[in-house]
Amino acid sequence: MEILLLITIVIIAIAFINFKDYLSNPQKRQQFQTTIQDNQIQEEFQEYEDPYKNLSKESKIKKSQYGVMVGLLAKLAQSDGKICELEKELIENTIEDIAQSLTLQSAMNQKEEILEILHSIFQNTTESVEELSQAYADLTKGQYKSRLKLVEYLLALAYADKVLSENEREVILDVAAYLEIENDDFNKMYDAFVEFYSKEDIKQDYKEACKVLGVSEEADLKEIKTKYKALVREYHPDILHHKGLEESIIKTSTAKLQEINAAYEIIEQYKKEMGEK
């Protein structure tokens, strides 16, 4: 379980680092400008470089890419009605990193004040997913990679508790739709997360099944089958009945045998998927 937790943290950390790097690296963001052929589109993009310069610090942050991102994080976190401890910690770390980035990128030298503003955005966001997604789309015209990395990060965060709820899925699908993420790109990301966590779930089930049978995870199927047959003989109700044991003991043993059978099926399926016969 600790290994899975560590893997989850690493995945989310990488997703955010990649996303933050894209936003904070002027060269990457300016590549778009050097490749635009249509002057009208270029002028439109340039208008979005700093359209809020006359606003207050709080309003400026709220309307920035980072501010809108925090709003979307809030919508995602609230969508399933619960926030696990890991998700809470990761969101807090994300907000901390955003505050640090804003402090370094601008003349906003008061990090604590920025943190307070970001927390306020997270806790008090009233805009809908549609409104926030549209705002992010407006701020990232022509920056498809930025949009893609945001959706990837939202997926990573949603899987912090190793389960993607239907409400979380709907939020992410809505964001991807408003940001005009290509179906192929979204499906590749989505399928990668589903496949990874499905494998981890199967592996975790396998570990638990090995504990039930009392065998090593490294044991081959032949060794496991031998142990399984021995346990069946030990707990089979017919054998216990012939020994004249009490019904309460037989009933308990029957339940144990069902657990043993289920565990062996899991192990057998896992070994089959791993190519072992």
Side-chain angles (χ1 to χ4, degrees), residues 46-87:
Q46 289 173 340
E47 288 177 3
Y48 280 88
E49 286 295 304
D50 188 11
Y52 309 112
K53 59 183 179 181
N54 295 322
L55 297 178
S56 66
K57 183 184 296 184
E58 182 175 358
S59 296
K60 186 180 291 187
I61 292 175
K62 185 176 181 179
K63 293 178 180 295
S64 70
Q65 282 180 252
Y66 279 134
V68 174
M69 177 188 173
V70 171
L72 286 170
L73 291 182
K75 290 299 180 182
L76 181 65
Q78 296 163 5
S79 63
D80 62 354
K82 59 181 180 179
I83 304 179
C84 70
E85 285 302 313
L86 176 58
E87 189 176 4

Side-chain angles (χ1 to χ4, degrees), residues 29-268:
R29 297 179 67 184
Q30 289 171 4
Q31 284 175 358
F32 170 73
Q33 288 178 285
T34 62
T35 58
I36 291 179
Q37 302 298 321
D38 191 319
N39 290 332
Q40 183 178 358
I41 296 178
Q42 185 171 5
E43 290 173 2
E44 185 179 3
F45 171 74
Q46 289 173 340
E47 288 177 3
Y48 280 88
E49 286 295 304
D50 188 11
Y52 309 112
K53 59 183 179 181
N54 295 322
L55 297 178
S56 66
K57 183 184 296 184
E58 182 175 358
S59 296
K60 186 180 291 187
I61 292 175
K62 185 176 181 179
K63 293 178 180 295
S64 70
Q65 282 180 252
Y66 279 134
V68 174
M69 177 188 173
V70 171
L72 286 170
L73 291 182
K75 290 299 180 182
L76 181 65
Q78 296 163 5
S79 63
D80 62 354
K82 59 181 180 179
I83 304 179
C84 70
E85 285 302 313
L86 176 58
E87 189 176 4
K88 184 177 180 181
E89 180 180 347
L90 290 168
I91 289 172
E92 185 59 38
N93 290 341
T94 299
I95 291 176
E96 177 77 23
D97 286 341
I98 289 175
Q100 181 66 25
S101 294
L102 286 172
T103 302
L104 294 174
Q105 290 177 34
S106 67
M108 301 177 184
N109 297 319
Q110 298 174 330
K111 182 179 176 181
E112 292 303 317
E113 182 182 356
I114 295 174
L115 270 173
E116 185 177 343
I117 292 172
L118 291 172
H119 281 121
S120 176
I121 293 172
F122 183 83
Q123 295 166 6
N124 303 309
T125 294
T126 57
E127 291 85 354
S128 66
V129 172
E130 177 183 359
E131 291 170 329
L132 290 166
S133 299
Q134 189 58 60
Y136 196 86
D138 290 341
L139 288 164
T140 57
K141 289 191 175 184
Q143 300 179 52
Y144 184 73
K145 286 185 178 179
S146 177
R147 298 179 179 189
L148 202 60
K149 289 182 182 297
L150 172 62
V151 174
E152 180 184 32
Y153 180 61
L154 292 177
L155 273 169
L157 189 63
Y159 268 107
D161 57 0
K162 302 183 290 297
V163 177
L164 181 68
S165 72
E166 185 59 32
N167 287 339
E168 287 174 326
R169 182 174 177 274
E170 288 300 320
V171 169
I172 294 173
L173 283 172
D174 286 344
V175 173
Y178 286 116
L179 297 186
E180 299 180 342
I181 301 300
E182 296 290 339
N183 286 338
D184 286 347
D185 290 334
F186 180 83
N187 289 336
K188 284 179 183 177
M189 287 191 297
Y190 180 79
D191 291 345
F193 278 99
V194 171
E195 181 180 2
F196 174 79
Y197 282 99
S198 294
K199 286 182 177 179
E200 288 301 315
D201 287 342
I202 292 172
K203 189 173 182 180
Q204 187 61 34
D205 290 343
Y206 171 74
K207 290 180 178 180
E208 294 299 324
C210 287
K211 289 180 181 179
V212 171
L213 296 191
V215 296
S216 167
E217 294 173 25
E218 288 74 35
D220 59 28
L221 192 55
K222 182 178 179 180
E223 179 183 346
I224 293 172
K225 186 176 292 186
T226 299
K227 182 61 180 290
Y228 166 68
K229 289 180 177 179
L231 289 171
V232 169
R233 287 193 297 270
E234 181 180 350
Y235 289 98
H236 200 287
D238 290 343
I239 295 176
L240 297 178
H241 182 74
H242 286 302
K243 290 182 178 180
L245 296 178
E246 297 179 1
E247 285 299 321
S248 60
I249 296 177
I250 294 175
K251 185 177 180 180
T252 301
S253 296
T254 300
K256 179 65 176 178
L257 182 60
Q258 291 173 344
E259 183 182 11
I260 290 168
N261 286 333
Y264 183 72
E265 287 181 10
I266 290 172
I267 292 173
E268 196 172 37

